[in-house]
Amino acid sequence: MKKVSIIGAGNGGVTAAYHLSKIGNSVCIYDLPEFDTQIKAINENGGIKALAELHDCEMLFSGFENITKATTDIKEAVEFSDVIIMICPSFAQETLFRNMLPHLKDGQTIVLMPGNYGGLVLNKIKNDSSRADLDITFVDAISIPWACRAVEPGEITIMGIKEFLPMSVFPYSKLEDVKTKLDNLLPLKLEFLQNPIIAGLENINFGGHPLLTTLNMGILENFNGEFNYYRDCCSTATANAAAKMDKERLSVGHAFGFKLRTELEAMNALYNSDCKTVYEFNRASTTHAKINSAPASSKSRYITEDVAYLLVPCYEFAKLARLEVPIVESCIHIASAYNDENYFETGRTLEKMGLKDMSIKEIVEYISC
């Protein structure tokens, strides 16, 4: 039996605690005291329940699992295990890490789901702190493994699970150590990428979330998100725009010497499908069609997280490579206008990732060490 700490008790965190416990791990789940609803429910119920059915659709991995520990004490959570999985919005990563930092010890591994370049950002925070000599490893996963929802406190549904989960290790020299620690800990095959920039650029939310949400904002807000996002927001025209945006992402990867999967290749591989277009995938995916759910406003994470922490880094890399990425840039401008915020400044910049004033060659060398 392996031990693991889950930081964050949202949809993904509670699902992770349930499924990792189900496959035989000892799990501690944590959330901030001001967001203790799930923690209280887990303690009151003794664990987490996964439904077998919702809205007449069959769900996966149903049952009930006891959870070893559910806490709002960050010290207790950090000291529980040498493997810490942060499943939280990207904007919360820095605050939570600063709370964790006094209690971390040499040899611990922090897995971020999704990473969104978070390992680079947290490493810079560590290096700028009084604990710069702390020997810890950061793993950036491209997403969480599950398509899931929290239905009630302490109660979840799992609609699907990816075939495998791509992730990067930083520093890369810790790869074998990470493989040993994560072996049989997670319920799916792991694919290790060369570095955290590839992991960020290959996040499949890159095109599907921010662009489709931006293009459909009127209907999303007016109908309160009460329809199926992937099926109803993807049309032949929006899919065509997304394909153009995907070419911009691929060009940025090429400028850094990285060969990236196309969005379609990634979605087909992750969900074991054989769709011929992104439009076909969004319309036909049985995993994503099980629940009618969509963002209801411009404050959705499809904008606030995916624009700020996926599109902004891509734009920053493009500027460094002297590339034009007009659709990526336009999406950032429109999202900034929606929310009265300058995501070009508040998003994940080269400076925040510890890459400021580096050339492309220097960045590649740094993230490959």
Side-chain angles (χ1 to χ4, degrees):
M1 177 184 291
K2 291 189 174 183
K3 299 174 73 174
V4 59
S5 298
I6 307 293
I7 306 298
N11 292 346
V14 176
T15 300
Y18 169 83
H19 204 171
L20 269 58
S21 179
K22 189 176 185 67
I23 61 175
N25 299 295
S26 178
V27 176
C28 172
I29 183 169
Y30 163 87
D31 213 335
L32 293 161
E34 56 266 40
F35 300 110
D36 65 352
T37 301
Q38 292 285 6
I39 301 300
K40 284 182 175 179
I42 292 168
N43 282 324
E44 289 171 2
N45 300 334
I48 299 167
K49 179 181 180 180
L51 301 183
E53 184 180 283
L54 184 66
H55 304 319
D56 297 323
C57 290
E58 184 178 351
M59 299 292 141
L60 304 180
F61 310 114
S62 61
F64 181 88
E65 288 297 326
N66 295 312
I67 301 301
T68 306
K69 189 180 294 293
T71 182
T72 57
D73 184 330
I74 192 66
K75 182 175 185 290
E76 188 174 35
V78 169
E79 292 179 349
F80 182 83
S81 172
D82 285 340
V83 177
I84 301 168
I85 301 179
M86 296 179 70
I87 304 184
C88 61
S90 296
F91 62 77
Q93 290 172 345
E94 296 171 42
T95 297
L96 286 167
F97 182 72
R98 287 189 172 95
N99 293 343
M100 293 161 56
L101 195 51
H103 313 296
L104 291 168
K105 63 180 185 294
D106 287 342
Q108 287 185 301
T109 296
I110 298 177
V111 182
L112 297 99
M113 294 184 179
N116 295 351
Y117 311 96
L120 295 172
V121 175
L122 302 189
N123 186 65
K124 182 179 187 300
I125 291 173
K126 176 188 77 75
N127 289 342
D128 290 344
S129 76
S130 61
R131 304 209 66 195
D133 293 335
L134 185 65
D135 180 18
I136 55 177
T137 304
F138 297 98
V139 177
D140 281 17
I142 68 159
S143 67
I144 64 173
W146 310 272
C148 58
R149 293 288 186 275
V151 182
E152 300 285 348
E155 193 172 281
I156 62 164
T157 60
I158 302 176
M159 297 168 285
I161 186 169
K162 294 177 175 64
E163 292 290 307
F164 63 99
L165 186 63
M167 54 181 58
S168 65
V169 177
F170 182 74
Y172 191 74
S173 59
K174 298 293 184 68
L175 176 62
E176 294 306 317
D177 178 58
V178 168
K179 285 182 177 179
T180 299
K181 286 184 176 181
L182 299 188
D183 183 44
N184 295 322
L185 178 68
L186 296 168
L188 74 174
K189 180 183 175 181
L190 306 181
E191 177 189 76
F192 291 95
L193 303 173
Q194 290 174 284
N195 60 65
I197 292 182
I198 293 178
L201 289 172
E202 290 216 332
N203 186 322
I204 58 171
N205 292 341
F206 182 97
H209 284 179
L211 183 61
L212 292 186
T213 303
T214 300
L215 295 174
N216 288 278
M217 187 55 65
I219 194 170
L220 287 168
E221 290 190 332
N222 288 334
F223 288 88
N224 199 34
E226 293 179 355
F227 47 90
N228 187 279
Y229 176 77
Y230 296 94
R231 183 187 63 234
D232 299 332
C233 286
C234 185
S235 68
T236 53
T238 59
N240 189 41
K244 300 291 194 303
M245 184 169 162
D246 198 45
K247 288 183 178 179
E248 295 179 359
R249 175 185 66 88
L250 296 174
S251 71
V252 171
H254 180 74
F256 278 73
F258 308 145
K259 189 178 187 310
L260 307 177
R261 294 183 180 96
T262 66
E263 182 182 9
L264 179 62
E265 287 170 343
M267 292 191 298
N268 276 334
L270 290 168
Y271 291 101
N272 191 28
S273 59
D274 188 29
C275 294
K276 305 307 178 188
T277 65
V278 170
Y279 173 76
E280 180 187 344
F281 179 89
N282 281 327
R283 300 285 294 182
S285 173
T286 55
T287 294
H288 298 93
K290 288 184 177 179
I291 292 181
N292 280 349
S293 176
S297 81
S298 64
K299 300 297 184 182
S300 159
R301 67 178 176 87
Y302 287 15
I303 294 289
T304 59
E305 180 169 39
D306 294 336
V307 169
Y309 299 95
L310 288 178
L311 298 196
V312 170
C314 182
Y315 172 75
E316 292 266 295
F317 296 140
K319 281 200 306 179
L320 184 62
R322 294 186 173 88
L323 291 175
E324 296 292 327
V325 285
I327 300 179
V328 169
E329 184 176 358
S330 297
C331 196
I332 301 170
H333 278 297
I334 294 170
S336 297
Y338 280 155
N339 291 332
D340 294 318
E341 183 167 353
N342 186 350
Y343 287 118
F344 292 98
E345 293 181 358
T346 62
R348 201 148 263 178
T349 61
L350 291 176
E351 181 176 5
K352 292 172 184 175
M353 291 184 279
L355 306 177
K356 185 182 178 183
D357 298 327
M358 291 187 188
S359 66
I360 290 177
K361 180 181 178 182
E362 289 169 336
I363 288 174
V364 172
E365 290 175 349
Y366 173 68
I367 61 177
S368 303
C369 64

